[in-house]
Amino acid sequence: MTKIALITGATSGIGEATAYEFAKQGIHLILCGRRVERLNTIKAALEKLTVVHTLNFDIRKKNKTFKAIESLPEAFKNIDILINNAGNAHGLDPIQDGDIDDWDTMIDINVKGLLYVSKAIIPQMTERHSGHIINIGSSAGKEVYPKGNVYCASKHAVLAITEGMRLDLNPYGIKVTAINPGMVETEFSKVRFKGDPVADSVYKGFKALEAKDIAEIIYFAVSRPAHVNIADLLVFPTAQANSTTVQKEL
Ligand code: NDP
Ligand code: 8X3
């Protein structure tokens, strides 16, 4: 039976690559993001492969998030796969110099936004006793690195929420998965460093993961048989051993 997937943060990076991967497999798509032009461009490209609906909202806005998901046409209301991917790091500063607006942004998007979207979608999954939620965590959710403080906290929270979801949704047969990437070359560093050219050096001197690498793993996770749930995956580029150990040739 054809599945329906909702992907947050589908306008770039891992979310966009996942949309392409799922479209190739004929999964029907609900693509979410704030940049409406990008949503339209991606929709136009993927409609050649599958059925696509777009939702343009900021996951920090609780009411707008619920309204957007309520607005889904009947054919898209029963979401089988939720990819909670939207998120970013904002800043890289020692805790004593951290920008409070950056802290708010990361907690509001990476943690609260993920919860709002989940809250809007889970009830129809529990009702149907079916569904798969994939939360995109991070290696930063497994260990804390210098100056990572609040971003790492937000991703540790994603991991705790994932485990909580897996426990609470267990009676309903809903799969819950955390996929935790190390360094992936996307717009992530541009957002983190707010356009500062330092962003360009983050992935220099080694082969970082590509968004597609994670997208393929996400598809692998959602395409396992009904009795198999990949609970938690940590994925590094080969050159990376942990958050602070990266073999670079400069
Ligand atoms: P990108 O910056 O390329 O993509 C981030 C996506 O999130 C965009 O589509 C953006 O869409 C969306 N987004 C951000 N803020 C909001 C918001 N307030 N409301 C709705 N959508 C939002 O980064 P990645 O693809 O790398 O990041 C995707 C996920 O992967 C994030 O959760 C990130 O923490 C995680 N991750 C990334 C790693 C990396 O090294 N790149 C490593 C480990 C985890 P728009 O701006 O259009 O709203
Ligand atoms: C992104 C990985 O190490 O850049 O979640 O914080 S890192």
Side-chain angles (χ1 to χ4, degrees), residues 8-17 32-39 42 55-61 65 84-90 105 108-110 113-114 117 135-141 151 154-155 158 179-192 202-203 208-209 211 214 235 240:
T8 66
T11 53
S12 71
I14 295 169
E16 180 181 2
C32 309
R34 291 168 301 178
R35 286 169 289 182
V36 72
E37 337 71 55
R38 289 211 189 184
L39 286 175
I42 297 165
L55 291 178
N56 176 217
F57 63 98
D58 182 332
I59 64 170
R60 283 174 292 191
K61 306 269 161 57
T65 299
N84 274 320
N85 163 76
N88 278 114
H90 292 261
T105 304
D108 287 349
I109 300 173
N110 302 358
L114 178 148
V117 172
N135 294 331
I136 305 304
S138 169
S139 52
Y151 178 65
S154 76
K155 289 299 183 176
V158 170
I179 293 180
N180 306 289
M183 296 172 84
V184 190
E185 190 165 358
T186 61
E187 294 178 12
F188 179 86
S189 286
K190 289 189 173 52
V191 174
R192 168 170 247 174
V202 174
Y203 309 107
L209 293 169
I214 300 301
V235 187
Q240 183 177 15

